[in-house]
Amino acid sequence: MQAPSDAIPVPDALAYARRLIGSDPTRALAQVREVISVTPHVGEAHRLAALVLRRLGRVAEAEDADLEAVRMAVHDPDMLTAAQAMLANELHIAEPILKGRLKAEPTDCAAIRMLAELAARIGRLPDAEHLLRRVLELTPGFGAARANLATVLYKQNRFADAVAELDNVLTDDPDNAAHSNLKAAALGRIGGYDEAIALYEELTQRFPDHAKLHMSHGHMLKTVGRQEDSIAAYRAALAVQPGLGEVWWSLANLKTVRFDETDVAAMEAALGDPAISVEDRFHLHFALGKAAEDAKDWAASFGHYAQGNAQRKAQIDYDADDISRHVKHVIDSFTPEFLAARAGVGHDAPDAIFILGMPRAGSTLIEQILASHSMVEGTMELPDIPSIAMREGRDHGDVPGSWVAAVRDMPAERLAELGAEYLARTRVQRKSDKPFFVDKLPNNWLYSGLIHLILPNAKIIDARRHPMDCCFSNFKQHFAQGQAFSYALDDVGRYYADYVRLMQHIDTVLPGRVHRVIHEALVADPEAEVRRLLDYLGLPFEEGCLRFHENARAVRTASSEQVRRPINRDGMDRWRHYAPWLGPLETALGDVLTAYPQVPPLR
C-alpha cells in the first residue's frame, strides 16, 4: 500500500488514488480513506471517495460521501470567499471563483449549488434549474439543493413540479416551516386551496408568533371567499407585528374593510418608526391612502398614494420605452401578409378563453360571469403565455418583444406544438370536465398575436375601462408582483396608450378576432352585454351569468370581494375626486382619453 498519506502532500496522495481508480478501485478507496483519516476536512477527498464507491457499485455509501464533501465546504478558503461574496451580493467576485472551482472539480456539489443560486439571482432560472438537477443527479440526498430546486420551479410558475419536489424535501425534514409555507403557496397556485389552508392552519398553530404565516393564511382564506376568517388571520398577524405594512395593505385591499381611528393611529405610529423597512413603509402609505379615501379626505389620500408609489418605483427597474418598442415590434411584424401566410396553423383546440387588457379594467368581473356558465371553468391569472413567449425569444436577444423574431422564424408545426404545450401546462388548473376555461391574465394583450397563431380557435376578450378610471385605479393599487408600469402617473398613462395602440392594430389586421367589453356599458346594462359576450363565444345564454355574485369559486385577484357582490357603480369615477393632481396622467394618455366614449357624470 502507498505510504501513509500524512507522509506526502495530500494533493499527491489524492492524485495517486485517482490513478488507481481504473485498475484497482478497492485500493484507490483505501488510499482515499487514509487521506480522510488524517485530513477529514478536505472536500476533494470525500468527492473522490464518492467516485470510487460508485465505481464499486456502493451507491448509498457514495451519496453519503458526496454529502460529507458538501459539509466540508465550510472549511475551504475559496468556498468561504465565494460564500461571503454571495452574502454581500458581490456576484462578480463569486462567479469566477465558483467557475474556477468547477473547472478543477466538476462534481463539487457545493460549488454547483452556489453557482445555481447565482444564476437564479440574476434571473437565469432555467440555468439554475439545470445546475440543481446536476447536483441532485450526483447527490440525490442533498435536501438543501432539492429545496432550492423547488423554489426555482416555483419562480418559473411550475407549481405542480415545485410541490412534487417539496413533498420529497418534507419527507426528510417534516418540521421545516419554510418548506411547508412554500408548498402551501404552490398549492394555492394550482387550485389546491383546501390542502393549502390546512397546512397554514397547522403552521400558525405551531408557530403562533410568525406574523407572515398568519398573513399568508389570510391571503388563502380571502381567495376562497372566507372574508371574516381572512380578516381574523390578518389581525392575528398584526397582533404579533403591528408594523407589518403588507398586512395593513391586505386589509385595505379587501375593499370592504373600513379602518377606524385606532387602526389609522397604529399605521401612523408604525410609519413614524425610523426602523421599519422600505417595504413596510410603502405598504403603509397605500393602506393609509385607502383609509383617507374612505374618509373622503382626497388630498391626504393622494399624498399617501403618491408617496407609496414613489417609494415602490425607486425599488424597480422600469422603462416605459421598452413597452413602446415591444408594441412597435409586434405592429411592424404582424402584418396582413405575415398573418395570411400562417393562416390555419397552430393547435385547433377551442378550449381557452383569454380575457386580457389593463389590470383594474373589470376582467375579474367578466371571468366571474363566464365561470358562472355551465360550460366554462374559471381558473386564475395564468402565467403560461408570457413564459412561453420569453423562453422562445431567449435566443433572439434580450430585448423587448424578442419572441416576435422567434415566431417569425418558426415552422408551422412549431406553432402547433406551442399551442399543445400551453394546453398541457394549464391542464393542472382545470378541475372539471367543462369544455372551456378562462385564462384571465391582463398583460396577455402584449401576446394577443401569439395567442392567435398558436391557438387560432381560442377566444380573446378585451376588457376595456375608461382611461382615467382605469389608470388611477392602477396607481392606487399596490400589486404583489409585476405591473411595474403602475407606480407613476405618466408611466401608467403611456402603458394604457400602448395597449390601445396594439389592440387597434389587432382589430385592423384580424377584424372580429377580439371581442371588446366596455366596462361602463356592462355596468349600465349587464344582460345586454352578457348576451353579446356569450354570442361571441358561441354559448347559450344562462341566467346564472347574471347571478355571478352567488358563485363561490376561488378568486385570487384584488377584485375578489367586489365580484362577490352584484354589479354596482361603487368603484367608478373615483378619479374625478383626484383630478387636481392627475395632470401627468392626462398628458400621457393624450388622444386615447379624448377618443374614449363619454361616461355618465359622478353621482
Side-chain angles (χ1 to χ4, degrees), residues 462-477:
D462 176 12
R464 186 76 57 92
R465 183 182 177 191
H466 185 275
M468 294 296 288
D469 232 1
C470 184
C471 290
F472 183 65
S473 185
N474 274 273
F475 184 73
K476 67 191 186 79
Q477 174 72 43

Side-chain angles (χ1 to χ4, degrees), residues 6 18 20 63 103 134 146 172 201 210 306 309 314 354 398-399 408 427 438 507 541:
D6 58 346
R18 285 185 185 278
L20 287 174
E63 291 178 8
K103 184 175 181 180
R134 174 59 176 158
R146 194 171 297 280
D172 296 330
E201 287 174 350
H210 196 306
N309 276 288
F354 291 90
D398 185 20
V399 295
R408 198 167 49 229
R427 174 60 58 184
V438 176
D507 288 344
F541 177 77

Side-chain angles (χ1 to χ4, degrees), residues 428-439:
V428 68
Q429 303 289 349
R430 302 178 70 175
K431 310 300 181 183
S432 73
D433 59 358
K434 294 181 180 182
F436 303 104
F437 72 100
V438 176
D439 179 341

Side-chain angles (χ1 to χ4, degrees), residues 93-145:
I93 294 176
E95 184 174 17
I97 295 173
L98 295 170
K99 287 185 173 179
R101 178 56 167 261
L102 291 173
K103 184 175 181 180
E105 293 286 341
T107 61
D108 187 336
C109 290
I112 300 173
R113 180 194 173 213
M114 288 179 65
L115 194 61
E117 180 185 343
L118 189 151
R121 285 200 202 176
I122 61 176
R124 298 177 62 177
L125 296 175
D127 291 342
E129 179 186 350
H130 173 76
L131 289 166
L132 290 167
R133 291 197 185 280
R134 174 59 176 158
V135 171
L136 293 171
E137 178 185 324
L138 292 168
T139 316
F142 194 172

Side-chain angles (χ1 to χ4, degrees), residues 528-549:
E529 292 303 311
V530 169
R531 286 185 180 275
R532 285 183 62 246
L533 175 59
L534 294 176
D535 284 346
Y536 164 74
L537 296 174
L539 297 175
F541 177 77
E542 292 182 0
E543 288 288 341
C545 293
L546 299 179
R547 299 195 304 274
F548 61 87
H549 52 281

